[in-house]
Amino acid sequence: MSRADTGLLVGVALGYAGWFGGFRAFLLVAGVGAVGWIAGRFLDTGTVRPDFFGSHDGRREDQGGPGRPR
């Protein structure tokens, strides 16, 4: 399933929760979805917290610009 499909499903779930359950249900579904995303991301990558959202070692892929050496 692509990220667009996943985003569509999350949007539909939040829309139904907001429409039928009100704002509290909307927040509950959003919170549970966030916890599920974090758990799934951890299970996929198995990384520790600093590396959880990607590589942040202080280096950038492209530090050079036009006319600047890399």
Side-chain angles (χ1 to χ4, degrees), residues 13-36:
L14 289 173
Y16 277 121
W19 182 262
F20 292 110
F23 188 66
R24 285 186 182 174
F26 173 83
L27 291 178
L28 177 67
V29 170
V32 171
V35 169

Side-chain angles (χ1 to χ4, degrees), residues 6-7 12 16 21 29-30 33 38-39 44 47 52 59 67 69-70:
T6 304
V12 168
Y16 277 121
V29 170
I38 291 171
D44 280 347
T47 60
F52 194 68
R59 293 182 297 164
R70 288 187 176 183

